[in-house]
mmCIF file of all heavy atoms in Angstrom:
data_model
loop_
_atom_site.group_PDB
_atom_site.id
_atom_site.type_symbol
_atom_site.label_atom_id
_atom_site.label_comp_id
_atom_site.label_asym_id
_atom_site.label_seq_id
_atom_site.Cartn_x
_atom_site.Cartn_y
_atom_site.Cartn_z
ATOM 1 N N HIS A 1219 -6.396 4.651 5.173
ATOM 2 C CA HIS A 1219 -7.191 3.738 4.351
ATOM 3 C C HIS A 1219 -6.856 3.676 2.806
ATOM 4 O O HIS A 1219 -7.427 3.134 2.011
ATOM 5 C CB HIS A 1219 -8.711 4.268 4.315
ATOM 6 C CG HIS A 1219 -8.839 5.708 3.781
ATOM 7 N ND1 HIS A 1219 -8.403 6.774 4.371
ATOM 8 C CD2 HIS A 1219 -9.448 6.046 2.565
ATOM 9 C CE1 HIS A 1219 -8.620 7.823 3.680
ATOM 10 N NE2 HIS A 1219 -9.359 7.433 2.589
ATOM 11 N N ARG A 1220 -5.676 4.393 2.515
ATOM 12 C CA ARG A 1220 -5.149 4.410 1.053
ATOM 13 C C ARG A 1220 -3.674 4.599 0.977
ATOM 14 O O ARG A 1220 -3.159 5.174 1.867
ATOM 15 C CB ARG A 1220 -6.015 5.453 0.312
ATOM 16 C CG ARG A 1220 -5.885 6.816 0.788
ATOM 17 C CD ARG A 1220 -6.661 7.844 -0.144
ATOM 18 N NE ARG A 1220 -6.387 9.227 0.331
ATOM 19 C CZ ARG A 1220 -6.722 10.214 -0.438
ATOM 20 N NH1 ARG A 1220 -7.268 10.123 -1.625
ATOM 21 N NH2 ARG A 1220 -6.312 11.496 -0.038
ATOM 22 N N ILE A 1221 -3.191 4.282 -0.314
ATOM 23 C CA ILE A 1221 -1.763 4.544 -0.451
ATOM 24 C C ILE A 1221 -1.667 5.096 -1.905
ATOM 25 O O ILE A 1221 -2.398 4.743 -2.800
ATOM 26 C CB ILE A 1221 -0.929 3.189 -0.349
ATOM 27 C CG1 ILE A 1221 0.517 3.379 -0.625
ATOM 28 C CG2 ILE A 1221 -1.430 2.054 -1.331
ATOM 29 C CD1 ILE A 1221 1.406 2.228 -0.297
ATOM 30 N N LYS A 1222 -0.572 6.035 -2.127
ATOM 31 C CA LYS A 1222 -0.418 6.581 -3.348
ATOM 32 C C LYS A 1222 0.705 5.843 -4.039
ATOM 33 O O LYS A 1222 1.867 6.011 -3.739
ATOM 34 C CB LYS A 1222 -0.082 8.111 -3.227
ATOM 35 C CG LYS A 1222 -0.209 8.886 -4.568
ATOM 36 C CD LYS A 1222 0.008 10.258 -4.329
ATOM 37 C CE LYS A 1222 -0.217 11.033 -5.658
ATOM 38 N NZ LYS A 1222 -0.108 12.630 -5.492
ATOM 39 N N ILE A 1223 0.289 5.074 -5.105
ATOM 40 C CA ILE A 1223 1.273 4.285 -5.864
ATOM 41 C C ILE A 1223 1.674 5.081 -7.187
ATOM 42 O O ILE A 1223 0.830 5.463 -7.859
ATOM 43 C CB ILE A 1223 0.796 2.773 -6.172
ATOM 44 C CG1 ILE A 1223 0.535 2.125 -4.832
ATOM 45 C CG2 ILE A 1223 1.818 2.060 -6.971
ATOM 46 C CD1 ILE A 1223 -0.269 0.902 -4.977
ATOM 47 N N PRO A 1224 3.015 5.242 -7.532
ATOM 48 C CA PRO A 1224 3.329 5.847 -8.739
ATOM 49 C C PRO A 1224 2.659 5.027 -9.940
ATOM 50 O O PRO A 1224 2.624 3.902 -9.914
ATOM 51 C CB PRO A 1224 4.923 5.698 -8.796
ATOM 52 C CG PRO A 1224 5.253 5.594 -7.363
ATOM 53 C CD PRO A 1224 4.206 5.014 -6.671
ATOM 54 N N THR A 1225 2.199 5.887 -10.974
ATOM 55 C CA THR A 1225 1.533 5.450 -12.155
ATOM 56 C C THR A 1225 0.048 4.928 -11.886
ATOM 57 O O THR A 1225 -0.685 4.821 -12.793
ATOM 58 C CB THR A 1225 2.352 4.294 -12.880
ATOM 59 O OG1 THR A 1225 2.181 3.073 -12.104
ATOM 60 C CG2 THR A 1225 3.769 4.640 -13.050
ATOM 61 N N LEU A 1226 -0.277 4.649 -10.676
ATOM 62 C CA LEU A 1226 -1.636 4.312 -10.294
ATOM 63 C C LEU A 1226 -2.439 5.353 -9.603
ATOM 64 O O LEU A 1226 -3.708 5.474 -9.783
ATOM 65 C CB LEU A 1226 -1.653 3.072 -9.434
ATOM 66 C CG LEU A 1226 -1.260 1.717 -10.064
ATOM 67 C CD1 LEU A 1226 -1.389 0.531 -9.071
ATOM 68 C CD2 LEU A 1226 -2.197 1.348 -11.244
ATOM 69 N N GLY A 1227 -1.723 6.100 -8.726
ATOM 70 C CA GLY A 1227 -2.406 7.179 -7.937
ATOM 71 C C GLY A 1227 -2.922 6.587 -6.690
ATOM 72 O O GLY A 1227 -2.329 5.545 -6.147
ATOM 73 N N TRP A 1228 -3.864 7.243 -5.983
ATOM 74 C CA TRP A 1228 -4.412 6.764 -4.785
ATOM 75 C C TRP A 1228 -5.173 5.438 -4.789
ATOM 76 O O TRP A 1228 -6.081 5.363 -5.784
ATOM 77 C CB TRP A 1228 -5.367 7.806 -4.165
ATOM 78 C CG TRP A 1228 -4.620 8.924 -3.575
ATOM 79 C CD1 TRP A 1228 -4.407 10.262 -4.111
ATOM 80 C CD2 TRP A 1228 -3.830 8.954 -2.340
ATOM 81 N NE1 TRP A 1228 -3.772 11.064 -3.367
ATOM 82 C CE2 TRP A 1228 -3.258 10.384 -2.292
ATOM 83 C CE3 TRP A 1228 -3.564 8.079 -1.426
ATOM 84 C CZ2 TRP A 1228 -2.415 10.722 -1.215
ATOM 85 C CZ3 TRP A 1228 -2.651 8.478 -0.274
ATOM 86 C CH2 TRP A 1228 -2.126 9.757 -0.189
ATOM 87 N N VAL A 1229 -4.888 4.556 -4.103
ATOM 88 C CA VAL A 1229 -5.519 3.121 -4.159
ATOM 89 C C VAL A 1229 -6.057 2.746 -2.734
ATOM 90 O O VAL A 1229 -5.292 2.900 -1.773
ATOM 91 C CB VAL A 1229 -4.556 1.998 -4.620
ATOM 92 C CG1 VAL A 1229 -5.217 0.674 -4.834
ATOM 93 C CG2 VAL A 1229 -3.900 2.335 -5.951
ATOM 94 N N THR A 1230 -7.387 2.280 -2.784
ATOM 95 C CA THR A 1230 -7.971 2.021 -1.465
ATOM 96 C C THR A 1230 -7.390 0.712 -0.886
ATOM 97 O O THR A 1230 -7.233 -0.325 -1.591
ATOM 98 C CB THR A 1230 -9.424 1.885 -1.604
ATOM 99 O OG1 THR A 1230 -10.006 3.038 -2.265
ATOM 100 C CG2 THR A 1230 -10.211 1.674 -0.269
ATOM 101 N N LEU A 1231 -7.070 0.746 0.420
ATOM 102 C CA LEU A 1231 -6.577 -0.491 1.158
ATOM 103 C C LEU A 1231 -7.806 -1.244 1.763
ATOM 104 O O LEU A 1231 -8.755 -0.587 2.253
ATOM 105 C CB LEU A 1231 -5.533 -0.018 2.218
ATOM 106 C CG LEU A 1231 -4.357 0.695 1.863
ATOM 107 C CD1 LEU A 1231 -3.582 1.228 3.111
ATOM 108 C CD2 LEU A 1231 -3.454 -0.245 1.106
ATOM 109 N N LYS A 1232 -7.687 -2.596 1.853
ATOM 110 C CA LYS A 1232 -8.680 -3.344 2.456
ATOM 111 C C LYS A 1232 -8.654 -3.294 4.051
ATOM 112 O O LYS A 1232 -9.610 -2.982 4.628
ATOM 113 C CB LYS A 1232 -8.629 -4.715 1.930
ATOM 114 C CG LYS A 1232 -9.692 -5.703 2.547
ATOM 115 C CD LYS A 1232 -9.498 -7.192 2.182
ATOM 116 C CE LYS A 1232 -10.619 -7.983 2.899
ATOM 117 N NZ LYS A 1232 -10.429 -9.429 2.517
ATOM 118 N N GLU A 1233 -7.362 -3.490 4.466
ATOM 119 C CA GLU A 1233 -7.143 -3.323 5.917
ATOM 120 C C GLU A 1233 -6.794 -1.970 6.398
ATOM 121 O O GLU A 1233 -5.629 -1.426 5.998
ATOM 122 C CB GLU A 1233 -6.136 -4.398 6.353
ATOM 123 C CG GLU A 1233 -6.021 -4.702 7.766
ATOM 124 C CD GLU A 1233 -5.036 -5.921 8.151
ATOM 125 O OE1 GLU A 1233 -4.595 -6.466 7.169
ATOM 126 O OE2 GLU A 1233 -4.835 -6.162 9.325
ATOM 127 N N LYS A 1234 -7.634 -1.348 7.012
ATOM 128 C CA LYS A 1234 -7.445 0.083 7.509
ATOM 129 C C LYS A 1234 -6.370 0.145 8.658
ATOM 130 O O LYS A 1234 -6.566 -0.569 9.571
ATOM 131 C CB LYS A 1234 -8.727 0.754 7.873
ATOM 132 C CG LYS A 1234 -9.871 0.522 6.898
ATOM 133 C CD LYS A 1234 -9.611 1.347 5.665
ATOM 134 C CE LYS A 1234 -10.850 1.305 4.723
ATOM 135 N NZ LYS A 1234 -11.179 0.055 4.054
ATOM 136 N N GLY A 1235 -5.376 1.008 8.528
ATOM 137 C CA GLY A 1235 -4.468 1.316 9.603
ATOM 138 C C GLY A 1235 -3.359 0.259 9.727
ATOM 139 O O GLY A 1235 -2.603 0.189 10.775
ATOM 140 N N TYR A 1236 -3.205 -0.573 8.752
ATOM 141 C CA TYR A 1236 -2.167 -1.600 8.846
ATOM 142 C C TYR A 1236 -0.747 -1.118 8.493
ATOM 143 O O TYR A 1236 0.265 -1.378 9.111
ATOM 144 C CB TYR A 1236 -2.472 -2.786 7.928
ATOM 145 C CG TYR A 1236 -1.539 -3.853 7.932
ATOM 146 C CD1 TYR A 1236 -1.030 -4.699 9.035
ATOM 147 C CD2 TYR A 1236 -0.852 -4.148 6.658
ATOM 148 C CE1 TYR A 1236 -0.053 -5.662 9.034
ATOM 149 C CE2 TYR A 1236 0.129 -5.152 6.601
ATOM 150 C CZ TYR A 1236 0.453 -5.985 7.649
ATOM 151 O OH TYR A 1236 1.546 -6.832 7.683
ATOM 152 N N LEU A 1237 -0.747 -0.380 7.300
ATOM 153 C CA LEU A 1237 0.478 0.328 6.891
ATOM 154 C C LEU A 1237 0.821 1.350 7.651
ATOM 155 O O LEU A 1237 -0.005 2.273 8.063
ATOM 156 C CB LEU A 1237 0.418 0.654 5.406
ATOM 157 C CG LEU A 1237 0.067 -0.485 4.356
ATOM 158 C CD1 LEU A 1237 0.049 0.069 2.879
ATOM 159 C CD2 LEU A 1237 1.157 -1.489 4.414
ATOM 160 N N PRO A 1238 2.099 1.714 7.951
ATOM 161 C CA PRO A 1238 2.486 2.795 8.794
ATOM 162 C C PRO A 1238 2.227 4.112 7.996
ATOM 163 O O PRO A 1238 2.562 4.264 6.783
ATOM 164 C CB PRO A 1238 3.990 2.571 9.047
ATOM 165 C CG PRO A 1238 4.465 1.665 8.166
ATOM 166 C CD PRO A 1238 3.231 0.798 7.644
ATOM 167 N N THR A 1239 1.873 5.128 8.639
ATOM 168 C CA THR A 1239 1.358 6.396 8.020
ATOM 169 C C THR A 1239 2.269 7.581 8.342
ATOM 170 O O THR A 1239 2.286 8.588 7.646
ATOM 171 C CB THR A 1239 -0.023 6.706 8.348
ATOM 172 O OG1 THR A 1239 -0.196 6.754 9.697
ATOM 173 C CG2 THR A 1239 -1.025 5.573 7.653
ATOM 174 N N ASN A 1240 2.984 7.597 9.465
ATOM 175 C CA ASN A 1240 3.771 8.736 9.951
ATOM 176 C C ASN A 1240 5.102 8.764 9.152
ATOM 177 O O ASN A 1240 5.974 8.056 9.258
ATOM 178 C CB ASN A 1240 4.150 8.459 11.399
ATOM 179 C CG ASN A 1240 4.682 9.752 12.046
ATOM 180 O OD1 ASN A 1240 5.176 10.665 11.285
ATOM 181 N ND2 ASN A 1240 4.636 9.854 13.329
ATOM 182 N N ALA A 1241 5.015 9.834 8.213
ATOM 183 C CA ALA A 1241 6.194 9.935 7.288
ATOM 184 C C ALA A 1241 7.460 10.438 7.916
ATOM 185 O O ALA A 1241 8.574 10.229 7.390
ATOM 186 C CB ALA A 1241 5.797 10.844 6.197
ATOM 187 N N ASN A 1242 7.355 10.883 9.133
ATOM 188 C CA ASN A 1242 8.622 11.391 9.885
ATOM 189 C C ASN A 1242 9.296 10.245 10.483
ATOM 190 O O ASN A 1242 10.517 10.422 10.678
ATOM 191 C CB ASN A 1242 8.239 12.509 10.954
ATOM 192 C CG ASN A 1242 7.448 13.701 10.367
ATOM 193 O OD1 ASN A 1242 7.884 14.177 9.343
ATOM 194 N ND2 ASN A 1242 6.591 14.201 11.120
ATOM 195 N N ILE A 1243 8.582 9.341 10.766
ATOM 196 C CA ILE A 1243 9.422 8.024 11.391
ATOM 197 C C ILE A 1243 9.465 6.885 10.382
ATOM 198 O O ILE A 1243 10.476 6.274 10.441
ATOM 199 C CB ILE A 1243 8.423 7.605 12.636
ATOM 200 C CG1 ILE A 1243 8.397 8.752 13.680
ATOM 201 C CG2 ILE A 1243 9.158 6.356 13.308
ATOM 202 C CD1 ILE A 1243 7.380 8.459 14.752
ATOM 203 N N TYR A 1244 8.471 6.650 9.645
ATOM 204 C CA TYR A 1244 8.396 5.515 8.655
ATOM 205 C C TYR A 1244 8.535 5.993 7.281
ATOM 206 O O TYR A 1244 8.008 7.009 6.836
ATOM 207 C CB TYR A 1244 7.139 4.797 8.759
ATOM 208 C CG TYR A 1244 6.834 4.238 10.124
ATOM 209 C CD1 TYR A 1244 6.036 4.878 11.008
ATOM 210 C CD2 TYR A 1244 7.458 3.087 10.540
ATOM 211 C CE1 TYR A 1244 5.780 4.450 12.274
ATOM 212 C CE2 TYR A 1244 7.274 2.550 11.826
ATOM 213 C CZ TYR A 1244 6.376 3.161 12.694
ATOM 214 O OH TYR A 1244 6.240 2.694 14.022
ATOM 215 N N SER A 1245 9.395 5.477 6.457
ATOM 216 C CA SER A 1245 9.640 5.708 5.091
ATOM 217 C C SER A 1245 9.471 4.508 4.207
ATOM 218 O O SER A 1245 10.247 3.462 4.272
ATOM 219 C CB SER A 1245 11.106 6.380 4.818
ATOM 220 O OG SER A 1245 11.390 6.600 3.613
ATOM 221 N N ILE A 1246 8.527 4.635 3.270
ATOM 222 C CA ILE A 1246 8.337 3.566 2.215
ATOM 223 C C ILE A 1246 9.367 3.723 0.956
ATOM 224 O O ILE A 1246 9.403 4.673 0.377
ATOM 225 C CB ILE A 1246 6.911 3.572 1.613
ATOM 226 C CG1 ILE A 1246 5.852 3.373 2.756
ATOM 227 C CG2 ILE A 1246 6.672 2.497 0.620
ATOM 228 C CD1 ILE A 1246 4.394 3.575 2.332
ATOM 229 N N LYS A 1247 10.234 2.688 1.002
ATOM 230 C CA LYS A 1247 11.321 2.777 -0.043
ATOM 231 C C LYS A 1247 10.864 2.230 -1.350
ATOM 232 O O LYS A 1247 11.267 2.849 -2.322
ATOM 233 C CB LYS A 1247 12.431 1.919 0.518
ATOM 234 C CG LYS A 1247 13.110 2.402 1.814
ATOM 235 C CD LYS A 1247 13.868 3.584 1.528
ATOM 236 C CE LYS A 1247 14.576 4.056 2.748
ATOM 237 N NZ LYS A 1247 15.291 5.429 2.543
ATOM 238 N N SER A 1248 10.163 1.087 -1.396
ATOM 239 C CA SER A 1248 9.737 0.549 -2.683
ATOM 240 C C SER A 1248 8.561 -0.460 -2.411
ATOM 241 O O SER A 1248 8.162 -0.621 -1.287
ATOM 242 C CB SER A 1248 10.931 -0.313 -3.293
ATOM 243 O OG SER A 1248 11.370 -1.378 -2.615
ATOM 244 N N GLY A 1249 8.141 -1.118 -3.512
ATOM 245 C CA GLY A 1249 7.015 -2.000 -3.283
ATOM 246 C C GLY A 1249 6.592 -2.751 -4.651
ATOM 247 O O GLY A 1249 7.243 -2.398 -5.586
ATOM 248 N N PHE A 1250 5.737 -3.665 -4.445
ATOM 249 C CA PHE A 1250 5.154 -4.451 -5.622
ATOM 250 C C PHE A 1250 3.643 -4.403 -5.516
ATOM 251 O O PHE A 1250 3.089 -4.427 -4.421
ATOM 252 C CB PHE A 1250 5.718 -5.892 -5.548
ATOM 253 C CG PHE A 1250 7.130 -6.047 -5.916
ATOM 254 C CD1 PHE A 1250 8.084 -6.050 -4.804
ATOM 255 C CD2 PHE A 1250 7.601 -6.054 -7.128
ATOM 256 C CE1 PHE A 1250 9.351 -6.237 -5.058
ATOM 257 C CE2 PHE A 1250 8.894 -6.146 -7.349
ATOM 258 C CZ PHE A 1250 9.943 -6.429 -6.326
ATOM 259 N N VAL A 1251 3.034 -4.472 -6.710
ATOM 260 C CA VAL A 1251 1.635 -4.673 -6.937
ATOM 261 C C VAL A 1251 1.505 -6.097 -7.544
ATOM 262 O O VAL A 1251 2.039 -6.324 -8.569
ATOM 263 C CB VAL A 1251 0.864 -3.661 -7.706
ATOM 264 C CG1 VAL A 1251 -0.601 -4.076 -7.777
ATOM 265 C CG2 VAL A 1251 0.962 -2.400 -6.973
ATOM 266 N N SER A 1252 0.751 -7.039 -6.889
ATOM 267 C CA SER A 1252 0.676 -8.431 -7.460
ATOM 268 C C SER A 1252 -0.860 -8.836 -7.524
ATOM 269 O O SER A 1252 -1.606 -8.229 -6.933
ATOM 270 C CB SER A 1252 1.448 -9.319 -6.548
ATOM 271 O OG SER A 1252 0.954 -9.400 -5.192
ATOM 272 N N MET A 1253 -0.919 -9.807 -8.319
ATOM 273 C CA MET A 1253 -2.350 -10.493 -8.449
ATOM 274 C C MET A 1253 -2.317 -11.991 -8.118
ATOM 275 O O MET A 1253 -1.375 -12.631 -8.384
ATOM 276 C CB MET A 1253 -2.841 -10.402 -9.923
ATOM 277 C CG MET A 1253 -3.224 -8.994 -10.372
ATOM 278 S SD MET A 1253 -3.525 -8.952 -12.179
ATOM 279 C CE MET A 1253 -4.053 -10.504 -12.633
ATOM 280 N N LYS A 1254 -3.359 -12.424 -7.450
ATOM 281 C CA LYS A 1254 -3.472 -13.819 -7.088
ATOM 282 C C LYS A 1254 -4.946 -14.182 -6.927
ATOM 283 O O LYS A 1254 -5.523 -13.611 -6.093
ATOM 284 C CB LYS A 1254 -2.664 -14.121 -5.947
ATOM 285 C CG LYS A 1254 -2.416 -15.682 -5.583
ATOM 286 C CD LYS A 1254 -1.388 -15.914 -4.560
ATOM 287 C CE LYS A 1254 -0.991 -17.272 -4.585
ATOM 288 N NZ LYS A 1254 -0.031 -17.616 -3.548
ATOM 289 N N ALA A 1255 -5.412 -15.056 -7.657
ATOM 290 C CA ALA A 1255 -6.729 -15.617 -7.689
ATOM 291 C C ALA A 1255 -7.806 -14.645 -7.718
ATOM 292 O O ALA A 1255 -8.753 -14.580 -6.894
ATOM 293 C CB ALA A 1255 -6.894 -16.494 -6.374
ATOM 294 N N GLY A 1256 -7.578 -13.539 -8.636
ATOM 295 C CA GLY A 1256 -8.587 -12.624 -8.787
ATOM 296 C C GLY A 1256 -8.432 -11.404 -7.819
ATOM 297 O O GLY A 1256 -9.258 -10.501 -7.884
ATOM 298 N N ARG A 1257 -7.637 -11.476 -7.026
ATOM 299 C CA ARG A 1257 -7.351 -10.416 -5.888
ATOM 300 C C ARG A 1257 -6.054 -9.587 -6.105
ATOM 301 O O ARG A 1257 -5.202 -10.184 -6.785
ATOM 302 C CB ARG A 1257 -7.256 -11.053 -4.505
ATOM 303 C CG ARG A 1257 -8.569 -11.724 -4.006
ATOM 304 C CD ARG A 1257 -8.508 -12.108 -2.546
ATOM 305 N NE ARG A 1257 -9.759 -12.530 -2.095
ATOM 306 C CZ ARG A 1257 -9.921 -12.909 -0.813
ATOM 307 N NH1 ARG A 1257 -8.919 -12.969 0.091
ATOM 308 N NH2 ARG A 1257 -11.089 -13.425 -0.310
ATOM 309 N N TYR A 1258 -5.997 -8.432 -5.648
ATOM 310 C CA TYR A 1258 -4.783 -7.542 -5.945
ATOM 311 C C TYR A 1258 -4.186 -7.304 -4.498
ATOM 312 O O TYR A 1258 -4.911 -6.929 -3.566
ATOM 313 C CB TYR A 1258 -5.403 -6.224 -6.563
ATOM 314 C CG TYR A 1258 -5.866 -6.569 -7.994
ATOM 315 C CD1 TYR A 1258 -7.223 -6.813 -8.149
ATOM 316 C CD2 TYR A 1258 -5.100 -6.344 -8.961
ATOM 317 C CE1 TYR A 1258 -7.825 -7.202 -9.365
ATOM 318 C CE2 TYR A 1258 -5.618 -6.690 -10.353
ATOM 319 C CZ TYR A 1258 -6.997 -7.017 -10.434
ATOM 320 O OH TYR A 1258 -7.520 -7.225 -11.697
ATOM 321 N N TYR A 1259 -2.938 -7.337 -4.491
ATOM 322 C CA TYR A 1259 -2.150 -6.959 -3.185
ATOM 323 C C TYR A 1259 -0.987 -5.904 -3.443
ATOM 324 O O TYR A 1259 -0.491 -5.822 -4.624
ATOM 325 C CB TYR A 1259 -1.572 -8.388 -2.696
ATOM 326 C CG TYR A 1259 -2.538 -9.345 -2.445
ATOM 327 C CD1 TYR A 1259 -2.953 -10.347 -3.393
ATOM 328 C CD2 TYR A 1259 -3.005 -9.450 -1.127
ATOM 329 C CE1 TYR A 1259 -3.976 -11.220 -3.122
ATOM 330 C CE2 TYR A 1259 -3.962 -10.430 -0.838
ATOM 331 C CZ TYR A 1259 -4.396 -11.289 -1.774
ATOM 332 O OH TYR A 1259 -5.341 -12.297 -1.561
ATOM 333 N N VAL A 1260 -0.707 -5.276 -2.431
ATOM 334 C CA VAL A 1260 0.446 -4.424 -2.400
ATOM 335 C C VAL A 1260 1.389 -4.680 -1.367
ATOM 336 O O VAL A 1260 0.967 -5.080 -0.213
ATOM 337 C CB VAL A 1260 0.018 -2.863 -2.276
ATOM 338 C CG1 VAL A 1260 -0.573 -2.554 -0.957
ATOM 339 C CG2 VAL A 1260 1.204 -1.925 -2.541
ATOM 340 N N SER A 1261 2.610 -4.816 -1.664
ATOM 341 C CA SER A 1261 3.769 -5.176 -0.633
ATOM 342 C C SER A 1261 4.701 -4.011 -0.602
ATOM 343 O O SER A 1261 5.221 -3.583 -1.785
ATOM 344 C CB SER A 1261 4.509 -6.520 -1.132
ATOM 345 O OG SER A 1261 3.600 -7.479 -1.457
ATOM 346 N N VAL A 1262 5.011 -3.491 0.455
ATOM 347 C CA VAL A 1262 5.865 -2.301 0.582
ATOM 348 C C VAL A 1262 6.961 -2.604 1.518
ATOM 349 O O VAL A 1262 6.942 -3.387 2.524
ATOM 350 C CB VAL A 1262 5.106 -1.037 1.107
ATOM 351 C CG1 VAL A 1262 4.268 -0.590 -0.022
ATOM 352 C CG2 VAL A 1262 4.409 -1.248 2.400
ATOM 353 N N LEU A 1263 8.194 -2.052 1.205
ATOM 354 C CA LEU A 1263 9.464 -2.143 2.131
ATOM 355 C C LEU A 1263 9.567 -0.893 2.812
ATOM 356 O O LEU A 1263 9.775 0.204 2.291
ATOM 357 C CB LEU A 1263 10.620 -2.456 1.163
ATOM 358 C CG LEU A 1263 11.935 -2.803 1.986
ATOM 359 C CD1 LEU A 1263 11.842 -4.120 2.643
ATOM 360 C CD2 LEU A 1263 13.157 -2.828 0.958
#
């Protein structure tokens, strides 16, 4: 239900269980935080 973004800390996700959580299999390399129409989004590679 959350992701730890550098400089922001833990941020709550709207969609639970969408991002992969198993660190042994999946590795988050980088990402972006963006804004659109008053909403906030995170994109991860």
Side-chain angles (χ1 to χ4, degrees):
H1219 63 290
R1220 60 179 187 166
I1221 183 170
K1222 194 174 185 180
I1223 299 171
T1225 71
L1226 288 181
W1228 287 105
V1229 185
T1230 309
L1231 301 171
K1232 182 183 178 181
E1233 196 172 351
K1234 310 292 188 289
Y1236 174 63
L1237 297 182
T1239 55
N1240 192 339
N1242 298 322
I1243 302 171
Y1244 302 94
S1245 172
I1246 298 173
K1247 296 290 183 184
S1248 61
F1250 291 96
V1251 176
S1252 58
M1253 281 169 33
K1254 197 168 186 181
R1257 291 184 175 186
Y1258 298 84
Y1259 298 89
V1260 64
S1261 308
V1262 291
L1263 188 67

